[in-house]
Amino acid sequence: MHAWLCENPTGVDALTWKELPTPTPGPGEVLIEIKAASLNFPDLLIVQNKYQVKPPLPFVPGSEYAGVVAAVGEGVTHLRPGQNVACLSGTGGFGTHTLAPAALCVPLPEGFGFVDAAAFIMIYATSFHALMDRAQLKAGETVLILGAAGGVGTSAIQISKAAGAKVIAAASTDEKCELCRSIGADLTINYTKHALPNGFRDAIKAATDGKGPDVIYDPVGGEFAEPAFRSIGWRGRYLVVGFASGPIPSLPLNLMLLKGASLVGVFWGDFARREPKANAQMMAELAKWYGEGKIKPVIDRTMPMAELKAAYAHMGSRAVKGKLVLVN
């Protein structure tokens, strides 16, 4: 097998494409022949030693992937060789093969392609958990989505619309705003045309007839957080999803008091670990929605697995719309 090996987590340039012995699955494991793997923001942080999970060295990055079960270990009864699966195991995806815990593998139904499957679990699980569980989003409410043209942003648009909400999508270019409208956003705000903080606040106010959004979905953080929170509606819920812009913002606590609003943390990974039954029910619902055509990953482009460094560079340019997927 071949894989991108991280022996020194100093950044993307330190990754090397190496031939490695093809492993044999142990108890509770499966060997997967990888067909597609998506690039997520944590995949960049983890090779820079900036992610909250720090795997022992050396490791193969690539948190999310899909492929074919090549072999199963002792005790694995729900999967079989030749079966198509998707998996989000945190590492191992950027190669031709990987060992994965069988418990984390999701069997793919007929017609669920590898590229969509590799781009599905992280973004839709995060957004569904955030919007439907943590925010308790209801039909008729208004959702403001920051970073709306990215992977989690596009999934949040689709889930919000499926739930019957009004969606305001905020993105950095007219092209990205058009993408958001094409997948269901009712209104869009181009960050670059509404200067922070007041121009951005005025745009949110205009889009909500002065009421403010009921829910704000924020995977961006940084300088957008405070003006967005200052714009939230009464009893609003502000979802802290991530910090793609880099800086982790600090918010004055009096803002929550004045708006009767909630600041809500979203950590889907720990939810899945702590509440596995609830997570399994959620994933079944998401698979059903996919089959009904309510949700479908937006794929920016596919690239050969050997071009991982170029894929990282493209993601770093902030030009990605939806998800980048690497294929073998």
Side-chain angles (χ1 to χ4, degrees), residues 236-272:
R237 290 88 77 200
Y238 193 103
L239 296 166
V240 182
V241 181
F243 313 104
S245 71
I248 296 176
S250 299
L251 294 175
L253 289 178
N254 67 309
L255 297 180
M256 297 92 199
L257 182 152
L258 293 170
K259 296 295 185 91
S262 303
L263 193 62
V264 185
V266 178
F267 188 1
W268 167 69
D270 230 34
F271 161 72

Side-chain angles (χ1 to χ4, degrees), residues 57 178 197 297 306 317:
L57 299 173
E178 177 55 37
S317 73

Side-chain angles (χ1 to χ4, degrees), residues 2-172:
H2 284 78
W4 286 99
L5 201 63
C6 181
E7 297 171 285
N8 185 17
T10 57
V12 175
D13 289 342
L15 296 175
T16 52
W17 181 248
K18 288 196 172 183
E19 184 174 2
L20 302 167
T22 304
T24 300
E29 293 182 328
V30 294
L31 175 67
I32 298 174
E33 180 186 348
I34 296 169
K35 299 295 186 182
S38 66
L39 192 57
N40 293 288
F41 189 59
D43 297 319
L44 176 60
L45 296 179
I46 204 166
V47 301
Q48 298 172 332
N49 206 33
K50 294 179 180 178
Y51 195 52
Q52 56 256 41
V53 178
K54 301 187 188 304
L57 299 173
F59 68 92
V60 176
S63 54
E64 184 177 24
Y65 46 89
V68 182
V69 176
V72 301
E74 182 184 346
V76 177
T77 57
H78 70 292
L79 299 172
R80 65 183 187 283
Q83 191 167 13
N84 295 349
V85 295
C87 186
L88 197 156
S89 60
T91 57
F94 296 151
T96 59
H97 297 75
T98 192
L99 289 179
L104 297 181
C105 294
V106 179
L108 295 178
E110 189 75 26
F112 206 137
F114 291 121
V115 170
D116 276 3
F120 189 82
I121 298 175
M122 181 175 284
I123 60 172
Y124 286 101
T126 296
S127 292
F128 194 101
H129 173 54
L131 292 160
M132 307 308 294
D133 182 8
R134 302 294 284 135
Q136 294 289 302
L137 180 65
K138 295 175 179 60
E141 291 191 312
T142 297
V143 181
L144 170 65
I145 299 169
L146 308 184
V152 289
T154 52
S155 69
I157 291 172
Q158 294 176 357
I159 287 171
S160 297
K161 291 307 296 181
K166 176 184 176 182
V167 172
I168 303 164
S172 60

